[in-house]
Amino acid sequence: MYRDIGEYISKQSEKAEYGDSFVQKLADSFAANYPDLKGFNRRGLYRMRQFCELYKDNEKVPPLVTQLSWTNHLKIMSACKSMEERIFYMNSSLLISTIEACTQAENETRSDNIKWDIKQRASNGSLGFYRRKCYGYDKDENGDLVINKEQAEIFKLIFDLYLGGKSILGIVKELKERSIKSPTGKENWPKRSIEEMLRNEKYIVVSVVNVGGEEGQIYKLNNSHPAIISKEMFDVVQEEKLKRSNVELTDVVMKRKSNKYSSKHGGNR
C-alpha cells in the first residue's frame, strides 16, 4: 500500500500543474476525511514517495519490500546511505522476523503441550498439585499428605468456634487471646486464611485443581489423603456460611439481604 501511494504521488508530482503542492493537498485531504489515520501527513507522504523512488529501478528489492513492515522500512531509509546497505539490512530484518516468528510458534506449541500434559495428569490423579501441603498437613518421605496433629486440633477449634456463633473476626480475636500463632507464625491470623480453611474441601479429602484460570476446567481427586473433619461437619459449616452471608440467591436474581449477621446477637439482625 505504501509503495503504491508513493508511486502515485511521484507520478502526480512530476506534472507541472501539480508539483510539490500536490503532496500538501493530499495530506490535507487525508486529515479531513480520515482524522484517525496516522502517518499520512505531509512528511509521511514524502517518505512514501521516497520509498517508491528508491527501489523502483532495482529488481532485487521488490520481493524483500513486501515482506517487511513499514516501520522497518522507515528505519532502513533513515539509517542507510547506499542501496547495498539497504538490501543488507532488509535481508537481516527479514531473517530476524523469520526467527522471531518461528520462536513464537515454537513457544506456542510448547505451551500447548504443557497445558495438555497438565490436564492429562489432573484427570488421572498424578498431578503434584493434588498433594500440595496446606495448614493441618505435612508430607511424609514419599511426598504424600499426612495429618499434623497439632495443627489439625487448631483447625477443628476454628470450625467449632464458627459453629458456636463466632464471626471470622471473632475467631481471629479468640486465637490471639489463646496465643495460637498463624500459619506464618504471626500473632494475628489473616481473615483470608480462616475463610479459606472454612471452605477448603481438602480437609474432607477432596483435592481441587483449576487448570486454565477463570475460564479453565476444574478437576477433583477424592481420597488422596486422610480427612481432618467429616463431610457432615463441613457441609454444616457451608450451610451456616450461607445463612450468615448478606447475599441472597433467588431463582431470578442475586441480591443483598436486608439484615446482617452479628455474632453479638447470635444471628441476623
Side-chain angles (χ1 to χ4, degrees), residues 64-65 75 91 106 132 134 144 163 191 229 236 241:
L64 298 174
V65 166
K75 291 178 180 178
N91 279 311
E106 183 180 344
R132 184 179 181 182
C134 63
D144 295 324
L163 290 178
K191 284 179 56 182
I229 60 168
V236 171
K241 284 175 62 183

Side-chain angles (χ1 to χ4, degrees), residues 84-249:
E84 288 75 15
E85 281 184 297
R86 295 187 190 102
I87 293 176
F88 172 79
Y89 280 106
M90 276 193 278
N91 279 311
S92 299
S93 298
L94 181 59
L95 177 61
I96 292 171
S97 298
T98 302
I99 292 173
E100 288 176 346
C102 291
T103 301
Q104 181 179 355
E106 183 180 344
N107 288 338
E108 290 175 354
T109 301
R110 185 183 295 113
S111 176
D112 290 339
N113 289 339
I114 291 173
K115 290 177 182 177
W116 180 86
D117 180 62
I118 291 174
K119 289 180 179 179
Q120 289 298 307
R121 289 188 287 124
S123 62
N124 64 28
S126 63
L127 188 66
F129 194 87
Y130 285 130
R131 282 161 284 280
R132 184 179 181 182
K133 190 175 73 169
C134 63
Y135 190 81
Y137 289 98
D138 289 322
K139 283 190 175 183
D140 63 14
E141 62 276 6
N142 298 317
D144 295 324
L145 293 178
V146 293
I147 293 176
N148 179 312
K149 294 182 179 180
E150 182 180 352
Q151 292 181 2
E153 290 303 314
I154 296 171
F155 174 83
K156 292 176 183 177
L157 171 63
I158 290 172
F159 264 62
D160 289 337
L161 290 172
Y162 189 78
L163 290 178
K166 291 280 188 183
S167 65
I168 301 296
L169 287 176
I171 295 173
V172 170
K173 183 178 179 181
E174 181 72 23
L175 293 174
K176 184 176 182 180
E177 289 176 352
R178 297 191 185 201
S179 300
I180 298 175
K181 299 292 182 66
S182 74
T184 56
K186 296 180 180 179
E187 291 186 2
N188 291 319
W189 282 64
K191 284 179 56 182
R192 187 173 180 180
S193 295
I194 295 174
E195 289 169 349
E196 176 62 26
M197 288 181 186
L198 293 175
R199 66 169 175 259
N200 194 345
E201 293 179 279
K202 200 157 195 171
Y203 296 107
I204 55 170
V205 300
V206 180
S207 294
V208 181
V209 174
N210 183 343
V211 179
E214 292 183 0
E215 298 180 359
Q217 188 171 351
I218 302 295
Y219 294 87
K220 292 187 176 184
L221 180 66
N222 297 313
N223 302 316
S224 62
H225 56 275
I228 291 180
I229 60 168
S230 66
K231 185 177 184 305
E232 290 74 19
M233 187 176 185
F234 183 84
D235 290 342
V236 171
V237 167
Q238 305 318 302
E239 292 175 6
E240 180 65 19
K241 284 175 62 183
L242 189 58
K243 289 178 184 177
R244 298 188 193 185
S245 172
N246 67 336
V247 175
E248 184 176 11
L249 297 174

